[in-house]
Each structure stands twice: as structure tokens, then as C-alpha cells.
Amino acid sequence: MPVSHPTVYEPLTEQGAIALAIRLGLFPEGTPLACREIGDGNLNLVFRVVDQQTKKGIIIKQALPYAKVVGESWPLTLKRSVIESNALRTFASYVPQYVPKVYYSDESLAITVMEDLSHLQIARKGLIEGKTYPLLSQHIGEFIAKTLFYTSDFGMNQQEKKQLAQSFVNPELCKITEDLVFTDPFFDHETNNFEDELRNDVKALWDDDKLHLEVAKLKHKFLTEGDALIHGDLHTGSIFASDEETKIIDPEFAFYGPFGFDIGQFFANLLLNALSRPEQQQEPLFAHIDKTWNVFVSVFSDLWHSHNVEPYAKTEGLLEEVLHYVFIDAIGFAGCEVIRRTIGLAHVADLDGIEDKEERLQAKRHALRLGRSLILQRETLSATEEIRSLFAQAALA
Ligand code: SR1
Ligand code: MG
């Protein structure tokens, strides 16, 4: 049966993905190809097209015009596909070792064709299985430091930065974060999703004026601070890993945002995994948080001294001031992420996968108390090592 070659948007089928791979010349003629839709995220279709003989493949990711996690009732811009491919290309210009290669992208079809990373595992899945990924924090710390520095007013021409920021204006995807991370979980909103047994704990958050004020400040930073090109959704499901390699995927939420946001989301998702583990297996997660921060500070500071374009860079105290607010913001953003992944629309398998109901509820209560402490106590912390004691205190009812 002849397969048509669409040039206007329509969702791909597995056969359509094979036809596209052939049309793009990504495989030699006559290659026996197989394809499977493997997307398990909240938003997109992901096709893996494989040469059945060599087992080498490519990934074709296609945005759907709605949020898959909710359905067609939640329309969503296809432009996120261009944001994603452009973000991957921008990140690749600074840290090619940490992102998949982009082979092709097409705005009208909302597709990005990229390197197949199936030899790696989604970090969230591996962490749930108890893996520790020894190089994860070294790599993520370096990825964040370099991408933030080089796309900021410290690391690039300040006029070009404004142009680049314009090309990453991403209002619809930012709105998802503004609502799902910073707003809905803190109010009685229909998108929230939690067990009935947690209602009293959740209601306490909804009635907590002190907490609301701090979350409002963090949300305001997310709304207004355009420090650098951030990934915008750097949870452990956006990371492929092995013991040797790390690749960051899915930057469809990328935009010019606050320095601390990606660090905070990454910390939060390590903490969500720690919450799902027995106490004696939690330390590697805390160690990853420490190392991510230490690597970030070291790489960002080296670049600051060697590649800074801002005349005030040598002014005593400026770097320390920037690092101080990145740290405090990251801890606060982490708190919001921990809370929203527990009671908001988009949960994480780390917590939802705890089979025993009582244990699961206990872990979720612990998460809510931890998220609240991270937000309220962020300005009292001076080092990531102190997160361990916040975590321990939050375990006590
Ligand atoms: C409707 S999208 C829900 C969540 O999935 C994405 O990965 C983001 O984290 C978003 O908040
Ligand atoms: Mg994603």
C-alpha cells in the first residue's frame, strides 16, 4: 500500500514514521525497518525506527496538538517542537556530549528526528530500580553550569542574548509550569490529584498563608527573571543515563528563565526518589545533590573568571551574590516541585509506585512536609549538606 508523505500536520503512525525515515534518507535504500511508538511521557509521540539487521535506530519525536496526559480537551501548541529542536541544538553548541544529536526537524510536522539513545535508561526508571549512576551529578552539574553561563549576560554578547531569548519565548509551556508547579497544588484546584487519605495534609497547605507568600515569590521569579536559557523540565524522566554516560532530552519547556530552576527541579526529583527508598539507601541521592551543586559552582565560577563579557564581573562579591541567589532559589523551586509531584496533576512513579498503601501515604506526607520546609527555610540554608537534616526532620510527623 503506498504511504503518503504529509507536508501539513497530521499525527504520524508507525508506518508513517518508517516512510518519513526513508524519505529523509536516514537509512540506505532497501533497509528492513521496524518501528514502534515508545512514548511514555505526558505530551508527545515518540517513534523508534530500527534497522532490523544492524539494530541501529533513530528516534522521531512528534508533538501532539494537545496534552496526551489529559486528552484532546487540553489543546497545546505544536511550536514546542521547534523550541525543543532549537534548544537541543543550542545546548549542543556548548555541551554536545550531554544531548542527543538532532538529525532533522520540521516545524509544520512538529517533528524532531534525533539520535537513538536506547543503549541508555531513563534515569528515573534506573533510580527506582536502585541504581545510583556514579557520574550523573558530575554530568548534570557541568551541563547546567555551561548552558546557563554561556546563554546568560555573563557568557554571551548581551544584544545577541536578547535575540536568542526572543526565539525561545514559550508562553504556553511556561503557563503549564506556572499553573501545575506554582499555583494549582497550593489551592483547591481541579487539576490536583491525591489520595483521599491525604486531604487533611493537603488542606493544611491550601490554608497556609506563610507558605503562599513564599511560593508567590518563587512564582514571580519564574515569571519575570530571564537569566539564561533553561531546560525548563529537568526531572529525572528527562535524563537518559548509564554508569558512564548522561544525555538530557525533552527541552520543550525551554525558555529564558531563572538560573536556579533546572537545579531545583533536578534536586527535587532526586529527593522524590530518596523518599521512595529505605533510609540506608538514600545517601547516594543526597551525595548527588551535593555533587551537582559543587560541580555547578566550580564550572560556573571558572567560566565566570575566564569568559565573562560583563565589565562588572571582576567586581568583588558579584559572583558570590549570584551563586547565593541561585542556591536559595534552587532550594525553593525544589520544594514546589516536590509538592506538585505529590498532589498535583503530574505525579512520579517513584512515589506512586510504592505498592504498600500505608508506606505510600507515609512517603507522600513526608514529601509534603519536606517540600514545605525547603520553601520556607530556603534562606536559612548555606550548603546542600543541610538538606539531609531537613529531610530527616520532615520524616517526623
Ligand atoms: C500537562 S504536562 C504535565 C507535566 O509533564 C511535563 O513533563 C511537565 O513536567 C509538566 O508539568
Ligand atoms: Mg517531557
Side-chain angles (χ1 to χ4, degrees):
M1 190 175 61
V3 182
S4 65
H5 295 154
T7 50
V8 288
Y9 181 84
E10 62 180 53
L12 285 171
T13 58
E14 291 177 346
Q15 279 312 307
I18 291 181
L20 180 67
I22 293 171
R23 180 161 66 88
L24 294 175
L26 293 168
F27 294 93
E29 221 169 288
T31 308
L33 294 176
C35 175
R36 223 157 46 83
E37 203 280 311
I38 55 168
D40 63 355
N42 291 326
L43 300 176
N44 305 294
L45 296 173
V46 181
F47 297 92
R48 180 165 183 253
V49 182
V50 191
D51 176 336
Q52 289 177 285
Q53 272 163 0
T54 64
K55 306 290 175 215
K56 288 208 170 110
I58 56 155
I59 294 295
I60 302 179
K61 179 169 175 181
Q62 185 179 43
L64 286 165
Y66 55 87
K68 196 168 84 178
V69 66
V70 176
E72 296 188 33
S73 62
W74 187 337
L76 204 52
T77 178
L78 293 175
K79 193 173 171 246
R80 65 188 197 273
S81 159
V82 186
I83 297 271
E84 171 160 349
S85 50
N86 287 343
L88 286 173
R89 289 183 175 114
T90 306
F91 295 151
S93 67
Y94 307 117
V95 279
Q97 68 276 34
Y98 298 136
V99 284
K101 288 188 194 76
V102 174
Y103 301 133
Y104 176 81
S105 60
D106 182 315
E107 181 167 359
S108 51
L109 299 179
I111 56 162
T112 307
V113 182
M114 62 192 129
E115 187 182 359
D116 180 18
L117 300 171
S118 336
H119 63 293
L120 306 177
Q121 186 182 26
I122 286 291
R124 186 183 307 286
K125 288 194 184 137
L127 291 171
I128 290 171
E129 287 166 12
K131 298 204 174 108
T132 51
Y133 298 123
L135 297 179
L136 182 66
S137 37
Q138 169 74 40
H139 293 167
I140 296 293
E142 188 186 340
F143 168 83
I144 296 178
K146 289 190 172 162
T147 54
L148 292 190
F149 179 81
Y150 281 121
T151 62
S152 77
D153 285 304
F154 301 112
M156 78 183 289
N157 174 290
Q158 296 176 347
Q159 275 57 54
E160 285 167 23
K161 180 229 170 187
K162 292 176 183 67
Q163 305 272 6
L164 189 64
Q166 253 178 18
S167 71
F168 281 102
V169 171
N170 197 357
E172 283 193 46
L173 281 277
C174 284
K175 171 102 171 78
I176 291 180
T177 305
E178 290 149 22
D179 291 345
L180 296 188
V181 177
F182 291 109
T183 313
D184 299 357
F186 301 94
F187 296 91
D188 185 359
H189 197 280
E190 63 187 5
T191 57
N192 291 328
N193 172 21
F194 54 85
E195 290 90 340
D196 284 342
E197 291 84 343
L198 294 178
R199 180 154 288 274
N200 285 342
D201 309 82
V202 174
K203 206 164 167 304
L205 298 182
W206 294 344
D207 293 339
D208 191 336
D209 293 340
K210 209 162 102 184
L211 181 67
H212 279 192
L213 175 60
E214 297 311 313
V215 176
K217 290 184 199 168
L218 290 160
K219 179 180 177 184
H220 190 68
K221 280 177 172 283
F222 184 83
L223 284 163
T224 59
E225 291 182 3
D227 289 326
L229 181 65
I230 66 169
H231 178 286
D233 197 24
L234 193 52
H235 55 84
T236 47
S238 297
I239 299 169
F240 269 112
S242 70
D243 281 357
E244 297 81 30
E245 264 186 284
T246 307
K247 300 272 185 188
I248 289 95
I249 60 165
D250 276 5
E252 64 200 311
F253 284 75
F255 79 112
Y256 260 75
F259 275 146
F261 190 72
D262 287 345
I263 302 173
Q265 285 217 314
F266 183 57
F267 283 3
N269 282 272
L270 294 173
L271 290 170
L272 287 159
N273 186 263
L275 284 158
S276 74
R277 290 187 180 203
E279 199 180 330
Q280 59 282 11
Q281 288 166 31
Q282 289 165 354
E283 180 49 32
L285 284 314
F286 295 126
H288 271 320
I289 291 177
D290 298 339
K291 182 133 192 206
T292 304
W293 179 251
N294 293 337
V295 170
F296 168 77
V297 169
S298 157
V299 175
F300 191 90
S301 303
D302 284 350
L303 290 172
W304 180 281
H305 295 303
S306 59
H307 285 74
N308 214 309
V309 300
E310 167 53 51
Y312 279 108
K314 292 194 173 63
T315 306
E316 181 110 1
L318 184 61
L319 172 61
E320 290 67 26
E321 168 69 19
V322 170
L323 291 174
H324 180 63
Y325 82 72
V326 178
F327 179 78
I328 288 173
D329 293 353
I331 302 290
F333 291 139
C336 297
E337 171 76 357
V338 166
I339 290 177
R340 78 92 171 213
R341 293 293 188 186
T342 309
I343 59 170
L345 176 91
H347 285 203
V348 288
D350 313 58
L351 291 184
D352 279 357
I354 301 173
E355 275 173 27
D356 181 85
K357 187 168 180 185
E358 263 323 300
E359 263 178 49
R360 188 169 67 249
L361 291 172
Q362 208 178 318
K364 290 188 175 187
R365 289 194 180 102
H366 187 177
L368 296 180
R369 288 191 293 265
L370 173 64
R372 183 175 181 277
S373 312
L374 290 166
I375 294 167
L376 292 181
Q377 295 185 47
R378 68 192 188 284
E379 298 198 18
T380 68
L381 298 189
S382 54
T384 53
E385 284 75 6
E386 294 164 30
I387 292 174
R388 287 172 182 76
S389 50
L390 280 194
F391 190 98
Q393 282 157 23
L396 312 167

